[in-house]
Amino acid sequence: MGTLPRKHSLLILSGSDFKTSRFNQDQTLSDFDVTEVMQLSGAYSAAQLGTADCILVSGLIADLDSVEILETIHHANSTLPVVFYAEDMSAGLAVRLIRAGAHHCFDTNTNIDEFRDALTSAAAQQRSHERNVRERREVREPWRGILVGESRAMEAVAETIRLVGNRRCTVLISGETGTGKEMAARALHAASHRRLHPMVAVNCSALPENLLEAELFGHTKGAFTGAASARIGRFEQANKSTIFLDEIGDMPIDLQAKLLRVLQEREIQRLGSSDSIKIDVRIIAATNVDLQERIKQGKFREDLYYRLNVVPLQMPPLRKRASDIPALVSHFIEKICLAEDIPLKAITPETMRRLCTQTWPGNVRQLENAVEMAIAVSGDNDTLVPRDFGLTIAPIRHFPAQEAPEWPSAVDESVDFETAVSQFELAMLDSALRKTGGNKTAAAESLGMKRTTLIMKMRSFENNGLLLQKAG
């Protein structure tokens, strides 16, 4: 199957009309997918989400200091190459920027070929760095390739798997529908010595009670009508390996008592037999319901809950790991194109940006279905665009109150994405300053940013006529 080389993604943070400069001639940036933004918040989001291979800062940005712009972008992504262009780029400023971590600095005297080659080199360097990081990680931890994403939320999941993967202890995976609980179970299995045997998966909600018991524990010949011969159950199949019990909250209450005995005694009895069979099985269970609430309702045994919840593992919803969306989309494009035996499709930066702003209530499963639909409706086109995903107007991403400050009431849902992000940042800064009594240093620490970055953002909002809590 042939593959299409994906263009490097270049984001231009432009404080001047870069489109009219000689560096924006027809062929200069033809090898890039170019997105242009006018506000630092747009560049920050692209750096955080990983939707750009390189950022070009052109001209003055709302009178912000260039070094502070660089620090802000690198706060979101410390390895992302940032190139600066200014008509009046002084030698002193260029030295300051290079020392601060800028990739290149250019002025109007720069040769166009040199300018293009520098951008290409920077973007290729970033892509190579990301690929090397992935490859080194997967060589060291092969199971890590099962979990797509490097957000903080997913790193917390990975750290739990590192700690308990090779142990026998029971793990209870919880999370909303579509968050990838089975993938986490497979990663746990792959991280253990039991990986030499296949993991056995059972969906406890897919079978009626009488069939589920026989499915799990097996049965003897004549144990029930239709049992023409003896059959081993899934627990026996998983001997020396791992059994994954999905949707454990839907297991009938009578069957829960038998599962409790398996957990306590590490032995099972086939349906229709009184003989006990010893097994060496690692049990991983998963649920998308609140088991403690089920206990209050009398639908789940409390003693079984504590037996299962030896090591709890919470799978985060996709809205809490939006920075993983680009990696997930790329993974699904490759997976689906390979399955369909068609050339690998590319995706435009604008499309990726819009996907990153969706709320995805169906989580990773919904995202995968969206990618599959987009590939199908794109036909022979080699690049996926917003309309392939049914995206027409870029939506505003809303956060639950416990994740971040609420959107200010002044935000109109019809505003563009960058304006919405700016107003959201304003709400975060204002909240932090109020909580710290106007102390800029404390507010910056609470937001995980440098004091100079916070001051820069405050100045930006003030210059644009927006007000913040007065701070000393």
Side-chain angles (χ1 to χ4, degrees):
M1 181 188 73
T3 60
L4 293 169
R6 180 169 65 90
K7 283 187 175 183
H8 290 126
S9 176
L10 174 67
L11 184 134
I12 301 176
L13 173 58
S14 179
S16 57
D17 194 355
F18 182 78
K19 293 179 181 178
T20 62
S21 75
R22 69 189 184 93
F23 292 105
N24 196 36
Q25 295 179 1
D26 290 343
Q27 299 302 316
T28 305
L29 302 178
S30 60
D31 292 335
F32 295 89
D33 278 324
V34 179
T35 302
E36 188 170 0
V37 297
M38 306 298 289
Q39 296 180 4
L40 180 55
S41 58
Y44 185 89
S45 297
Q48 195 171 46
L49 295 170
T51 55
D53 295 318
C54 177
I55 290 181
L56 170 64
V57 181
S58 172
L60 294 176
I61 312 298
D63 296 325
L64 300 177
D65 181 78
S66 297
V67 173
E68 290 181 333
I69 291 173
L70 179 62
E71 289 178 347
T72 300
I73 294 172
H74 278 172
H75 178 266
N77 186 335
S78 61
T79 66
L80 185 64
V82 183
V83 176
F84 285 83
Y85 162 75
E87 293 182 359
D88 56 350
M89 175 72 68
S90 66
L93 176 58
V95 170
R96 284 179 60 212
L97 287 169
I98 295 298
R99 285 178 175 173
H103 194 276
H104 273 87
C105 295
F106 297 110
D107 59 18
T108 52
N109 296 318
T110 302
N111 178 276
I112 288 180
D113 290 337
E114 181 184 351
F115 177 76
R116 180 180 58 246
D117 291 345
L119 291 177
T120 302
S121 172
Q125 173 183 306
Q126 176 66 5
R127 196 174 289 182
S128 175
H129 168 76
E130 292 174 349
R131 182 173 59 251
N132 290 338
V133 168
R134 286 195 304 270
E135 290 175 352
R136 286 197 302 269
R137 184 191 64 202
E138 290 176 12
V139 167
R140 186 175 64 253
E141 298 174 333
W143 57 267
R144 192 62 177 82
I146 298 173
L147 301 175
V148 179
E150 299 178 2
S151 62
R152 289 183 181 179
M154 286 306 292
E155 281 303 314
V157 171
E159 181 59 23
T160 299
I161 294 173
R162 289 187 190 101
L163 293 172
V164 304
N166 203 32
R167 302 193 179 273
R168 195 183 71 163
C169 55
T170 304
V171 178
L172 178 60
I173 306 173
S174 57
E176 296 175 11
T177 298
T179 50
K181 296 186 287 294
E182 183 168 348
M183 291 299 99
R186 293 194 179 281
L188 278 163
H189 176 67
S192 75
H193 64 277
R194 298 172 184 269
R195 63 183 175 274
L196 300 176
H197 304 279
M199 185 183 88
V200 176
V202 181
N203 189 321
C204 297
S205 65
L207 294 170
E209 181 176 355
N210 59 325
L211 293 182
L212 180 59
E213 182 176 0
E215 185 75 13
L216 289 175
F217 306 121
H219 59 80
T220 60
K221 181 179 179 180
F224 53 85
T225 302
S229 60
R231 180 187 174 190
I232 69 170
R234 294 300 187 95
F235 272 98
E236 285 184 77
Q237 290 177 11
N239 193 37
K240 305 295 184 183
S241 186
T242 303
I243 188 167
F244 173 57
L245 302 176
D246 199 8
E247 306 297 351
I248 192 70
D250 293 331
M251 178 175 281
I253 194 77
D254 292 340
L255 196 52
Q256 291 175 27
K258 296 187 176 183
L259 176 59
L260 180 63
R261 184 174 183 275
V262 174
L263 287 163
Q264 291 172 335
E265 307 298 335
R266 297 289 166 174
E267 62 182 30
I268 58 109
Q269 288 181 344
R270 292 182 184 175
L271 200 60
S273 172
S274 58
D275 295 331
S276 296
I277 302 172
K278 287 287 185 181
I279 53 171
D280 175 16
V281 174
R282 203 255 182 96
I283 298 173
I284 301 174
T287 180
N288 64 355
V289 299
D290 186 343
L291 291 185
Q292 291 185 319
E293 184 62 31
R294 288 289 177 101
I295 292 171
K296 293 177 183 177
Q297 297 170 356
K299 296 179 179 179
F300 202 83
R301 293 179 62 110
E302 187 173 15
D303 49 3
L304 177 59
Y305 171 75
Y306 290 117
R307 281 285 183 176
L308 291 172
N309 199 37
V310 176
V311 176
L313 179 59
Q314 178 74 35
M315 290 300 293
L318 192 52
R319 62 182 176 275
K320 290 189 177 181
R321 45 178 297 217
S323 60
D324 290 333
I325 290 176
L328 286 163
V329 170
S330 298
H331 170 74
F332 292 140
I333 289 174
E334 183 175 354
K335 172 185 172 182
I336 294 164
C337 288
L338 181 64
E340 296 286 349
D341 194 25
I342 58 176
L344 190 65
K345 291 180 182 282
I347 184 169
T348 67
E350 172 63 14
T351 307
M352 188 70 83
R353 184 181 71 81
R354 292 196 184 187
L355 292 176
C356 290
T357 64
Q358 301 295 304
T359 53
W360 302 111
N363 296 299
V364 177
R365 184 179 300 140
Q366 182 188 5
L367 178 63
E368 180 175 8
N369 291 340
V371 173
E372 186 170 7
M373 179 197 73
I375 290 174
V377 302
S378 65
D380 294 332
N381 296 331
D382 56 21
T383 302
L384 301 178
V385 296
R387 66 174 177 271
D388 296 326
F389 291 87
L391 301 174
T392 52
I393 300 175
I396 300 169
R397 182 168 175 248
H398 294 272
F399 294 79
Q402 67 270 21
E403 276 187 70
E406 293 182 354
W407 289 100
S409 58
V411 172
D412 183 346
E413 292 194 5
S414 65
V415 301
D416 63 88
F417 174 71
E418 287 184 29
T419 302
V421 170
S422 294
Q423 293 191 22
F424 178 56
E425 284 188 337
L426 176 66
M428 290 186 69
L429 295 181
D430 188 65
S431 175
L433 287 166
R434 290 180 186 278
K435 288 179 180 177
T436 59
N439 187 309
K440 295 175 185 176
T441 301
E445 289 178 356
S446 71
L447 294 171
M449 64 173 64
K450 294 183 179 180
R451 185 176 185 273
T452 55
T453 302
L454 181 136
I455 294 172
M456 175 270 296
K457 286 180 175 290
M458 290 175 63
R459 188 188 310 152
S460 173
F461 288 125
E462 290 165 359
N463 289 339
N464 284 282
L466 299 173
L467 298 177
L468 275 170
Q469 167 77 14
K470 291 184 179 179

